[in-house]
Amino acid sequence: MPLERSKNSTIYFDNAATSWPKPAAMIAAMIAYNEQIGGSPGRSGHHRSLDAGRIILETREALAELCGCGNSLRIAFTKNATEALNIALSGVLNPGDHVIASAMEHNSVMRPLRYLEAQGVQISVVPCSGAGSLDPEDVRRVIGPRTRLLVVTHASNVTGTIQPLTALGKIARDYGILFCVDAAQTAGALPINVDEMAIDLLAFTGHKSLCGPQGTGGLYVRKGLEKQLRPLMTGGTGSRSEFEEQPDFMPDKYESGTPNTIGLAGLGAGARFVLAEGVEAIRGKEEGLTARFLAGLAALPGVTVYGPPDAASRTAVVSFNIAGVAPSAAALGLDERFGILCRPGLHCAPAAHRTMGTFPQGTIRFGFGYFNKDEEITLALEAIGSLAGDGAPH
Amino acid sequence: MEEQRYVVFLFPSVSYALKAEKILKAAGIVHKLIPVPRHISSDCGVCLRITEAKEQDVAGALRGKVAWDKVVLL
């Protein structure tokens, strides 16, 4: 059985959950912080504290470059995209406000919205095509006098479907509505420009395509919007210490408490890796892997693929099912028999699965990354073919 | 010999001071980050000290890139 895995070989296709492996420089930066710096940034003022602060500044600058925001101080760091989205949504929405979301949102958007709905915020969830694509005209149709915010995922975590952000941002700007983007799946994987896309609030995570560690993320806030955006937490910031009121400026307003400096050291190195390789080059590699995989799946009987048919319309994420095999059983078989790691189920996005018609059984999701190789795609296709053969009626 | 006179740029927070430091380093303007003198502010952060003669150069380098609260003669 040449397909069966050796004990040492693992094929990591769960990059949509968290990327692996990480660049060596990312791990080195985290070790260097702990061994050589160790100070608390923004506190104390001694040279180790300043060095810690410089690390965080450099991370901010790299992130600003990646999202096309001219001023790095417009970015506040959080522990993940979920926290950033919670700040954005609960920070601007008040009872009586109307908010528009797509039917492909992750629960990191849906749950904060449902929580706010119970407090009197009105929600419109705009249906998407079966492939998960949001039509900007459908958004335009539900805009009303109380519409305050449009929130959309840049790309689905289930199907990889890329939404037309530029068109959506233009509609939001035309109607005077705030535009919030969940870039959890795309920061570092696709080009993003907050000005060209008219994005007011951009939430990102550090541990996926930005090649950083878990526990890092952030929120870009358009200039001036911080005056209307409530913080999720208040507390010590190292600034304005003589006052007992929260600072009202970026990024301190949203960065209470000692930050995750070691994580941000890693995120900075990860983001600089992405900048050095180039987002376009990374996208090219990942699109190639995805196209290869989609073409291979199309040739396998009993396999259903969800989302857009082409690799160009999606990130490096592919959801599929094998006839006669439950997603959870397929994932277990892929792991135990072939050493292939992926994620089955609903992927914290029940709305997206309802859109595709895969609720509640879910799908098998492969998420490719920059470090994956063509040979791994070939091996995975053989493994899926083998499982499909097992599942086929005899 | 006349004694060297200094001014300090005070910022909203250390994040701003460090960004200013990066800009001045790139511009080749001599500067020093020092704890905010207690007689100027009770804030516990840091500020940028430069010679008085460089005040306009520094303001020009920082303007539009990083905001500062005020400039104080030491």
Side-chain angles (χ1 to χ4, degrees), chain A residues 44-380:
Chain A
S44 312
H46 56 70
H47 73 271
R48 294 282 193 87
S49 163
L50 292 175
D51 282 345
R54 289 182 185 107
I55 283 178
I56 292 185
L57 175 72
E58 289 304 326
T59 304
R60 249 189 255 284
E61 300 260 292
L63 264 300
E65 194 174 337
L66 279 166
C67 74
C69 111
N71 182 355
S72 64
L73 297 174
R74 308 293 328 154
I75 294 170
F77 287 121
T78 60
K79 68 174 183 286
N80 45 39
T82 298
E83 185 188 348
L85 287 163
N86 271 268
I87 294 171
L89 299 174
S90 71
V92 295
L93 293 171
N94 296 305
D97 285 346
H98 174 232
V99 54
I100 301 169
S102 89
M104 290 303 283
E105 299 309 307
H106 187 277
N107 271 346
S108 57
V109 167
M110 285 302 187
R111 285 182 173 171
L113 288 186
R114 293 302 175 200
Y115 188 80
L116 289 163
E117 187 177 36
Q119 295 164 28
V121 172
Q122 269 200 307
I123 300 170
S124 293
V125 177
V126 180
C128 295
S129 73
S133 194
L134 178 64
D135 184 343
E137 289 309 309
D138 290 341
V139 171
R140 192 194 297 273
R141 273 190 276 278
V142 297
I143 293 173
R146 301 300 301 269
T147 307
R148 174 101 167 107
L149 179 80
L150 167 64
V151 54
V152 172
T153 185
H154 188 182
S156 163
N157 69 305
V158 178
T159 56
T161 313
I162 300 167
Q163 303 296 6
L165 288 196
T166 305
L168 291 165
K170 183 171 187 320
I171 287 176
R173 193 57 59 88
D174 286 350
Y175 285 83
I177 296 163
L178 294 172
F179 186 32
C180 175
V181 172
D182 170 8
Q185 291 293 325
T186 56
L190 292 180
I192 295 175
N193 187 299
V194 291
D195 287 333
E196 288 170 12
M197 294 168 165
I199 295 169
D200 296 300
L201 295 156
L202 181 84
F204 63 87
T205 189
H207 69 99
K208 293 181 180 176
S209 292
L210 289 170
C211 299
Q214 293 169 17
T216 60
L219 180 68
Y220 158 81
V221 180
R222 180 167 296 284
K223 187 177 183 185
L225 185 53
E226 71 275 15
K227 304 299 178 202
Q228 309 168 45
L229 185 70
R230 290 179 292 269
L232 201 59
M233 296 200 310
T234 54
T237 58
S239 55
R240 298 279 201 272
S241 294
E242 66 272 41
F243 300 109
E244 293 188 347
E245 288 77 32
Q246 186 74 358
D248 65 349
F249 53 84
M250 290 293 297
D252 299 43
K253 187 171 182 179
Y254 311 102
E255 290 188 348
S256 291
T258 303
N260 175 12
T261 311
I262 183 170
L264 294 172
L267 175 58
R272 286 188 291 277
F273 172 85
V274 170
L275 284 166
E277 298 293 309
V279 173
E280 299 287 349
I282 290 170
R283 171 63 181 157
K285 167 95 183 279
E286 293 186 354
E287 196 177 319
L289 292 166
T290 307
R292 191 182 182 90
F293 185 61
L294 287 172
L297 283 187
L300 290 177
V303 173
T304 306
V305 182
Y306 304 95
D310 58 320
S313 303
R314 59 163 86 212
T315 53
V317 172
V318 179
S319 258
F320 62 96
N321 269 321
I322 302 169
V325 186
S328 53
L332 184 64
L334 287 166
D335 183 2
E336 290 192 332
R337 287 176 55 196
F338 305 102
I340 295 169
L341 311 185
C342 63
R343 181 173 173 194
L346 293 173
H347 314 100
C348 297
H353 280 279
R354 284 194 180 94
T355 296
M356 297 188 301
T358 49
F359 185 87
Q361 75 275 17
T363 56
I364 307 154
R365 181 187 72 180
F366 278 22
F368 308 118
Y370 189 54
F371 295 104
N372 284 130
K373 299 178 179 70
D374 285 347
E375 307 86 87
E376 294 176 322
I377 302 282
T378 305
L379 286 168

Side-chain angles (χ1 to χ4, degrees), chain A residues 1-11 327-344 364 366 383-384 386-387 390:
Chain A
M1 292 276 290
L3 281 176
E4 303 289 321
R5 68 164 167 158
S6 79
K7 283 198 162 42
N8 296 322
S9 73
T10 291
I11 297 179
S328 53
L332 184 64
L334 287 166
D335 183 2
E336 290 192 332
R337 287 176 55 196
F338 305 102
I340 295 169
L341 311 185
C342 63
R343 181 173 173 194
I364 307 154
F366 278 22
I384 294 164
S386 171
L387 290 174
D390 295 346

Side-chain angles (χ1 to χ4, degrees), chain A residues 42 45 50 53-54 57-58 60-61 70-73 238-242 249-252, chain B residues 11-16 18-19 21-22 25 33 35 41-46 65-66 69:
Chain A
L50 292 175
R54 289 182 185 107
L57 175 72
E58 289 304 326
R60 249 189 255 284
E61 300 260 292
N71 182 355
S72 64
L73 297 174
S239 55
R240 298 279 201 272
S241 294
E242 66 272 41
F249 53 84
M250 290 293 297
D252 299 43
Chain B
F11 296 91
S13 74
V14 175
S15 300
Y16 291 68
L18 292 173
K19 186 168 177 191
E21 175 194 52
K22 186 178 179 184
K25 267 185 196 163
L33 275 180
S41 164
S42 53
D43 192 81
C44 54
V46 293
K65 291 178 181 161
V66 60
D69 285 335

